[in-house]
């Protein structure tokens, strides 16, 4: 097996849609709309008080930056837990699983391969605590393809396990892909 080749357990291979679309020049009217959307997406929650401000990022994108939410549930290495505003300070390593973001009656689920959570108390008078989630891979669960993940799992389990690297790759890949399948359900 080749270590330089991309791993069969790469969560990016398990998406229905490609994460990066071919670059095309935006139409003149679209450029202004794109700039406005970026400003709104990254604008701080001005005037927001006593809410949890969530930042959810990966190297590929920032899903939200300081977005006011009611709570976020994360898969910590010691178990799943929920954060709300005024939670105690915490830094936690996250494992593969589902992150659920709740805001009023709405909730949105994301699959995380692993990452870290940093929770801080307000640094101003707003009463808004911050939760910053830095993920290695982060995708909406609606983008996961359960059938493709099952196929990748079969390939991992059927692959030769002649070397320690092959056995480790199969073990870690199977654990990750099983979490993808669980999140896609």
């Amino acid at each position: 097996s080749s270590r330089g080749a991309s791993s069969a357990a790469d969560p990016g291979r398990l998406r229905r849609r490609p994460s990066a679309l071919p670059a095309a020049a935006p139409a003149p009217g679209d450029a202004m709309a794109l700039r406005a959307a970026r400003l709104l997406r990254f604008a701080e929650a001005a005037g927001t008080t006593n809410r949890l401000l969530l930042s959810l990022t990966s190297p590929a994108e920032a899903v939200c930056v300081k977005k006011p939410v009611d709570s976020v549930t994360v898969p910590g290495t010691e178990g799943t837990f929920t954060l709300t505003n005024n939670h105690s300070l915490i830094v936690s390593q996250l494992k593969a699983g589902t992150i659920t973001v709740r805001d009023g009656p709405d909730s949105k689920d994301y699959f995380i391969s692993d990452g870290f959570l940093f929770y801080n108390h307000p640094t101003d008078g707003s009463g808004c605590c911050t939760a910053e989630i830095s993920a290695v891979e982060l995708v909406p669960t609606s983008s996961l393809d359960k059938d493709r993940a099952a196929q990748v799992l079969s390939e991992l389990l059927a692959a030769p396990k002649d070397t320690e690297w092959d056995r480790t790759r199969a073990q870690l890949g199977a654990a990750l892909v099983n979490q993808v399948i669980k999140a896609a359900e």
Side-chain angles (χ1 to χ4, degrees), residues 74-82 90-96 115:
V74 296
T77 55
E78 300 296 319
T80 300
F81 60 96
T82 300
I90 189 169
V91 173
S92 179
Q93 183 175 0
L94 304 178
K95 64 180 183 176

Side-chain angles (χ1 to χ4, degrees), residues 109-129:
D109 292 331
Y110 299 90
F111 175 78
I112 183 172
S113 62
D114 63 335
F116 287 91
L117 167 101
F118 303 93
Y119 184 91
N120 291 298
H121 286 157
T123 55
D124 56 15
S126 70
C128 295
C129 296

Side-chain angles (χ1 to χ4, degrees), residues 2-50:
S2 171
R3 292 183 190 193
S6 76
S7 171
D10 176 14
R13 292 183 52 206
L14 306 176
R15 293 186 198 144
R16 286 189 188 131
R17 295 175 290 241
S19 60
L21 298 175
D30 292 343
M32 179 61 91
L34 286 172
R35 269 186 252 127
R38 283 187 194 123
L39 286 174
L40 290 174
R41 185 173 177 188
F42 294 104
E44 277 201 40
T48 301
T49 58
N50 296 315

